[in-house]
Amino acid sequence: MPNSNAKFHCNHRGGQEAGRRELVSRSLQSAQHCLEDQDFGTAYAHYLLVLNLAPELKSSVKETFQFTLFKWAEELDSLARIQDLFNCYEQALELYPNDEVICNSMGEHLFRMGFRDEAAGYFHKAVKLNPDFADAKENFYRVANWLVERWHFIMLNDTKRNLTYLKAIENAIHSGCKSVLDIGTGTGILSMFAKKAGASFVYACELSKTMYELARDVVAANNMEREIKLLHLKSLDIEIPKHIPERVSLVVTETVDAGLFGEGIVESLTHAWEHLLLQPK
C-alpha cells in the first residue's frame, strides 16, 4: 500500500505538471492571436496568466509582454480608465520589479496626468537601474525642472549665505549641540554642514519625493549616507522614537521663502520646539 500511495502521488504531480504546461502553451498561443487582432487587453490577461503559472518564462516573453502592456495602457488612457491603467502597471512591476523600461513608462503616464512628483520617482528608479537609459535620464531631468524651484540654485550658489549658515552651525555644535534635525533638507547641504562640524547624530526630513531622492544622491556622493538619516516625511509627522530615537539639541532649516510663511515655517518650528527639540533646563 505505501508503494501504491507513492506511485499515486507521483502520477498526480505529473498530471498537474502536464496540465500546467498545456495551459501555458494554450495561453501563449491565445495571446499571440489576440496581438494579431490588436486585442491588447485580452492578450495582456493571457500573458499575466502565463507569467504567474510559469515564472521561468519571464526572460523569454519580456519584450512581448512590455509591448502588450504599453499598447493596452494607451487604450486605457484614451478611455480615461486611469485606475485600471495603474493596476496594470502595478501588476507588471510585481512581475518585473527591476525593469527600467516599465518604470520609465509608468513615469511618463504619471507625468502626463500631472503627478509630477510621483513620476520623478519612477524616472529616478529607471535611471538607477540603468544609468545609460537615455529616455529615462531625459525624462528625469525634464520633470526635475518642474519640481526643483529655481531658488534652490540661487541659494546653492550664494557663497556668503552658505558660509553664514556653516559658521552658525559650527558655533552651535562646538557649544555642545550634538544631535541635529534638518527640516526641509532640500539638497542636504545643512545636514552635511552639521556632520562635518562634528555632530554625532544628524537627521533630515524632506516632503518632496524628488528633493528627497536628490538629497540621497548628494549625501551618498559625499560618502555620508551612513551618517545622515534621511526621512521622506513632513516635519509635523516625525514621531519619537518611531523616526528618530530622541529629541535633538539643534534644529536647522532653510524653509524661509520670500513671504517668510510660504512653507509653513512657523507651524513646523513650533512643532519642532514642542516635540522634537531638547528643552533648556
Side-chain angles (χ1 to χ4, degrees):
M1 286 299 292
N3 289 336
S4 298
N5 287 336
K7 185 176 180 180
F8 171 78
H9 288 303
C10 183
N11 290 337
H12 180 65
R13 285 195 299 270
Q16 285 183 321
E17 177 60 22
R20 183 186 73 90
R21 288 198 299 266
E22 176 67 18
L23 182 55
V24 167
S25 176
R26 289 185 178 182
S27 293
L28 283 172
Q29 292 175 9
S30 296
Q32 189 58 46
H33 291 319
C34 289
L35 287 178
E36 292 170 1
D37 295 336
Q38 297 189 348
D39 183 359
F40 300 113
T42 307
Y44 175 76
H46 281 299
Y47 277 119
L48 278 185
L49 178 62
V50 167
L51 290 169
N52 279 287
L53 285 175
E56 67 273 12
L57 297 178
K58 282 184 179 180
S59 296
S60 60
V61 304
K62 184 171 77 168
E63 289 188 10
T64 310
F65 175 76
Q66 288 174 343
F67 172 80
T68 306
L69 167 67
F70 301 155
K71 286 295 186 181
W72 179 224
E74 288 176 8
E75 284 192 25
L76 292 173
D77 193 8
S78 68
L79 296 170
R81 292 171 56 183
I82 305 305
Q83 190 56 57
D84 289 335
L85 185 153
F86 287 150
N87 288 342
C88 286
Y89 273 97
E90 287 175 2
Q91 291 166 339
L93 286 170
E94 285 181 6
L95 292 166
Y96 297 96
N98 296 317
D99 188 286
E100 69 274 18
V101 178
I102 295 176
C103 286
N104 183 64
S105 180
M106 176 65 158
E108 289 176 337
H109 281 287
L110 287 165
F111 184 78
R112 284 196 295 270
M113 294 173 192
F115 300 106
R116 290 168 182 157
D117 207 9
E118 293 82 355
Y122 281 97
F123 293 145
H124 185 264
K125 181 178 180 181
V127 173
K128 284 285 190 181
L129 290 167
N130 182 1
D132 297 324
F133 190 5
D135 287 349
K137 286 198 291 187
E138 181 180 345
N139 283 332
F140 180 69
Y141 294 140
R142 178 161 55 103
V143 75
N145 283 332
W146 284 90
L147 293 172
V148 180
E149 292 86 349
R150 289 294 178 259
W151 51 262
H152 275 288
F153 302 109
I154 296 171
M155 288 196 307
L156 288 172
N157 287 283
D158 188 340
T159 303
K160 183 178 179 180
R161 173 191 175 97
N162 292 336
L163 288 176
T164 301
Y165 266 104
L166 174 59
K167 187 64 176 177
I169 291 171
E170 286 177 340
N171 288 341
I173 290 173
H174 295 163
S175 297
C177 295
K178 295 301 182 183
S179 55
V180 180
L181 171 64
D182 180 6
I183 294 177
T185 192
T187 59
I189 187 170
L190 298 189
S191 295
M192 291 187 291
F193 283 170
K195 195 62 195 177
K196 286 182 178 180
S200 301
F201 305 99
V202 179
Y203 312 99
C205 65
E206 175 57 55
L207 180 59
S208 165
K209 178 68 172 175
T210 303
M211 294 307 300
Y212 166 75
E213 295 289 356
L214 179 59
R216 288 183 61 184
D217 287 345
V218 172
V219 168
N222 285 272
N223 299 314
M224 293 186 181
E225 64 269 33
R226 295 184 179 180
E227 301 173 330
I228 297 173
K229 182 177 181 179
L230 288 165
L231 303 166
H232 181 215
L233 282 173
K234 190 175 182 180
S235 62
L236 298 175
D237 296 329
I238 295 176
E239 299 177 13
I240 298 172
K242 182 178 180 181
H243 302 115
I244 61 177
E246 57 188 3
R247 288 174 178 259
V248 298
S249 53
L250 177 66
V251 171
V252 297
T253 185
E254 269 192 305
T255 52
V256 182
D257 70 354
L260 184 61
F261 305 110
E263 297 189 47
I265 185 171
V266 173
E267 185 180 10
S268 295
L269 292 182
T270 299
H271 175 78
W273 172 262
E274 293 177 348
H275 301 285
L276 306 175
L277 188 66
L278 284 170
Q279 298 300 311
K281 296 180 180 179

